[in-house]
Structure formats: structure tokens, C-alpha cells
Amino acid sequence: MSHSLIHWIRLKFAQHELWAINFALLRPQLSLFGAASLWAWIFPPLLGFGVLIGYIMQNFPVVGSIINLIIGLPALIILAYWVFRWYFICLGLMFGRRNMAEKKKAEICTRIEKLLLVIG
């Protein structure tokens, strides 16, 4: 059950990414709005996780700080890579360069095809 739910969520997120990239290709000057709509998938889980880490840090400062360092720093690096990649794709589209956007669209399409095979 949870395995299929995770795949379904990943599929829906990939489909939303595909919508965002198609929106960006269609309207390059508004492309950041399409990319910003993806935060709806990322912010709620991060908010819940942040509240949990905050609770742990308040009651167990050393353990909470270690957990925050071990989990938070790599997550921040991964999230920054993802955000800046989308930003540079949108910026490139605003200046008429479609290469990065087309490459990202191809990556998303292959990810969706793989997820559809798993979900079946």
C-alpha cells in the first residue's frame, strides 16, 4: 500500500513538473510562476519535519542539533541544487535559450514513463 502510494505521489509530482516545464516553454516571461507552483509539493513535508526537529531541539538540544546537522545540511544542498536548476532553466527561457528546458522535459518524460511501468 505505502509502496504504491509513494509511486503515485512521485508520478503526480513528475506530472506537475511536466506541466511547469510546458508552461515555461509556452510563456517564458512567466516561467518562474510555473516553477514556483512546485513548492506546493515540497513545503508541507518540510514544514512537518521542521516542527519535529524544532521539538527535538527544544527538549534535547545536543541530539536535535546533531540530527539537524546530519539530515538538514545534505537536504539543504539537494534542495538548493533543485531550486537553482529550475531558476536557471527559467532564466534561460527568458533570454531565449531552450536547451536546458528541453533537456529537463526529456528527463521528466523518461521519469514518468518509468513510474507508469512501475504503477502499471
Side-chain angles (χ1 to χ4, degrees), residues 5-99:
L5 178 64
I6 291 171
H7 284 302
W8 182 82
I9 292 171
R10 289 179 64 200
L11 175 66
K12 293 302 171 187
F13 178 72
Q15 288 173 341
H16 188 171
E17 272 189 315
L18 184 62
W19 172 85
I21 201 76
N22 284 332
F23 178 79
L25 285 166
L26 187 62
R27 294 175 183 88
Q29 300 305 323
L30 300 174
S31 58
L32 284 173
F33 291 108
S37 71
L38 296 170
W39 279 100
W41 290 88
I42 295 168
F43 188 69
L46 286 181
L47 184 64
F49 189 70
V51 168
L52 177 65
I53 291 294
Y55 176 76
I56 292 172
M57 287 183 72
Q58 184 177 10
N59 294 319
F60 310 102
V62 176
V63 176
S65 297
I66 292 171
I67 291 172
N68 195 16
L69 182 67
I70 291 172
I71 295 173
L73 194 59
L76 181 66
I77 292 169
I78 291 168
L79 189 64
Y81 170 76
W82 182 80
V83 167
F84 286 123
R85 184 172 182 200
W86 270 101
Y87 176 75
F88 286 124
I89 287 171
C90 294
L91 190 66
L93 284 170
M94 287 180 197
F95 286 104
R97 297 194 172 98
R98 299 174 64 94
N99 299 354

